[in-house]
Amino acid sequence: RQMDVIANNLANVSTAGYKRESAKFEEYVMQVAPSEGEKGTQQLSFVKDAGSSRDLSQGNIQDTGATYDFALNGKGFFAVQTPQGIRYTRDGHFTRDGNGQLTTEQGYALQGDGGAITITPTDSNVQVNKDGTVSSTINGVSNPIGKLRIADFDDAASLTKQGDNLYSTAQAPTTPTATTIRQGALEASNVQPVLEISHMIEVMRAYQATASLSQSQEDLNRQAINKLGQMPN
């Protein structure tokens, strides 16, 4: 399970806005009847997969020069409309569809405070301020388009992954006050490949040590059975 999580982190090292995850495990204790020679209820300890934890630390912001690339510097998520409802993402790579709406690569419309952000054919020199205000120039006159909707949550680490770098939650969204938006840039994944590879090596060594210990125990049992079988009645 831990190896799967690490491999997924490495696979998303180039995914904009991706947040690394780590596997979580808990102890599971079972009460069993005593074996021969034992007294009282005995405890068996097992390992339980408790899901994963998410690292929400800021990724590096990289300039792209693309008009519809936006990077969040601080807490929060972009809101997008999907067939299943509003979803949230840190991936700020958007494109303009045939209707002029700014959408994700999957076609989900980026949301502003008043709904989808739409760029008309007459809008030129589209600008996004640090506070998320979107404006353009029409015939030399500044034209307000809307303001990007940025949502934060009391427990952002518990958001549920929905695929396509999207999250869902039943929590009520709040508006972060210290977050700024940078146009023409993307937030990179916060995965550090060297650290992930070192973690992978640690997991492999731990697995090999456990497998070796198990094999040694089986060898001892086999030898004991063989010697007992050779003893005269």
Side-chain angles (χ1 to χ4, degrees):
R1 166 66 177 156
Q2 192 166 357
M3 186 68 78
D4 287 343
V5 173
I6 293 173
N8 187 61
N9 287 337
L10 288 171
N12 286 280
V13 70
S14 299
T15 302
Y18 178 82
K19 301 302 180 184
R20 72 174 296 274
E21 298 183 338
S22 56
K24 291 171 57 180
F25 301 99
E26 295 178 351
E27 183 181 22
Y28 179 79
V29 179
M30 177 182 290
Q31 306 294 331
V32 297
S35 302
E36 184 178 354
E38 296 178 338
K39 295 182 179 180
T41 303
Q42 302 297 304
Q43 291 185 345
L44 289 181
S45 179
F46 297 92
V47 176
K48 179 182 178 181
D49 183 359
S52 60
S53 60
R54 187 175 299 119
D55 177 7
L56 294 176
S57 61
Q58 179 79 40
N60 294 328
I61 295 180
Q62 301 174 345
D63 290 326
T64 65
T67 302
Y68 304 128
D69 280 352
F70 312 130
L72 290 175
N73 186 11
K75 297 181 179 180
F77 301 82
F78 296 106
V80 297
Q81 181 68 55
T82 74
Q84 292 74 37
I86 295 293
R87 296 294 183 263
Y88 304 94
T89 182
R90 292 281 298 192
D91 185 353
H93 177 61
F94 300 102
T95 59
R96 184 179 168 191
D97 68 6
N99 297 322
Q101 291 187 347
L102 297 186
T103 66
T104 65
E105 292 184 344
Q106 294 76 30
Y108 304 140
L110 174 64
Q111 298 298 291
D113 289 343
I117 299 294
T118 302
I119 310 297
T120 66
T122 58
D123 288 317
S124 62
N125 192 28
V126 176
Q127 299 290 326
V128 177
N129 295 334
K130 290 183 178 180
D131 65 353
T133 301
V134 184
S135 61
S136 67
T137 302
I138 299 179
N139 297 325
V141 179
S142 179
N143 172 55
I145 295 175
K147 186 175 182 180
L148 298 181
R149 176 181 171 187
I150 307 301
D152 194 18
F153 305 93
D154 293 335
D155 186 11
S158 68
L159 267 64
T160 304
K161 293 177 66 174
Q162 296 293 331
D164 295 328
N165 215 3
L166 300 175
Y167 301 96
S168 66
T169 181
Q171 300 179 62
T174 60
T175 302
T177 56
T179 300
T180 59
I181 298 174
R182 183 168 162 184
Q183 186 181 15
L186 289 175
E187 179 192 9
S189 166
N190 66 355
V191 174
Q192 300 183 48
V194 174
L195 292 179
E196 295 300 320
I197 291 173
S198 67
H199 292 160
M200 181 176 287
I201 293 173
E202 290 175 1
V203 173
M204 291 177 63
R205 287 178 176 173
Y207 176 80
Q208 290 169 354
T210 304
S212 177
L213 182 63
S214 177
Q215 185 63 47
S216 298
Q217 182 65 37
E218 290 181 5
D219 292 342
L220 287 174
N221 289 339
R222 189 179 299 108
Q223 292 174 14
I225 292 172
N226 290 337
K227 288 183 178 180
L228 287 172
Q230 295 171 3
M231 293 180 63
N233 294 329

